[in-house]
Amino acid sequence: HHVHVSEITCKHWLQKIRFRDYLLAHPEVAQAYEALKIELAKKYTYNREKYTQEKSAFILSYAPFTD
């Protein structure tokens, strides 16, 4: 498990919240994200950095929330 701590006004935190809200408003994207995370967890069980890289590429492809 990973715990993330940040100030609620920092850009990084706000981007996470915007992405969460985007997923809630777009269930088809949320399903694709879920499927990707399951696939990456199997593929990169022992390589957290690669898992995060590929997950980040997906997130950035839906970047309207990152302003």
Side-chain angles (χ1 to χ4, degrees), residues 2 4-6 10-11 15-16 21 23 26 33-34 36 38 40 43 46-47 49 52 59 61 65-66:
H2 294 272
H4 299 272
V5 178
S6 62
C10 82
K11 184 177 180 178
Q15 288 174 342
K16 288 187 175 296
D21 292 347
L23 292 176
H26 300 89
Y33 185 56
E34 176 186 27
L36 175 68
I38 291 168
L40 294 177
K43 186 175 179 181
Y46 302 106
N47 189 342
E49 288 181 23
T52 301
I59 293 168
S61 73
F65 60 86
T66 60

Side-chain angles (χ1 to χ4, degrees), residues 22-54:
Y22 185 83
L23 292 176
L24 290 171
H26 300 89
E28 69 286 355
V29 178
Q31 289 175 346
Y33 185 56
E34 176 186 27
L36 175 68
K37 289 181 68 171
I38 291 168
E39 175 188 332
L40 294 177
K42 291 176 185 174
K43 186 175 179 181
Y44 299 119
T45 302
Y46 302 106
N47 189 342
R48 178 77 180 166
E49 288 181 23
K50 190 70 174 162
Y51 169 87
T52 301
Q53 277 180 338
E54 291 197 28

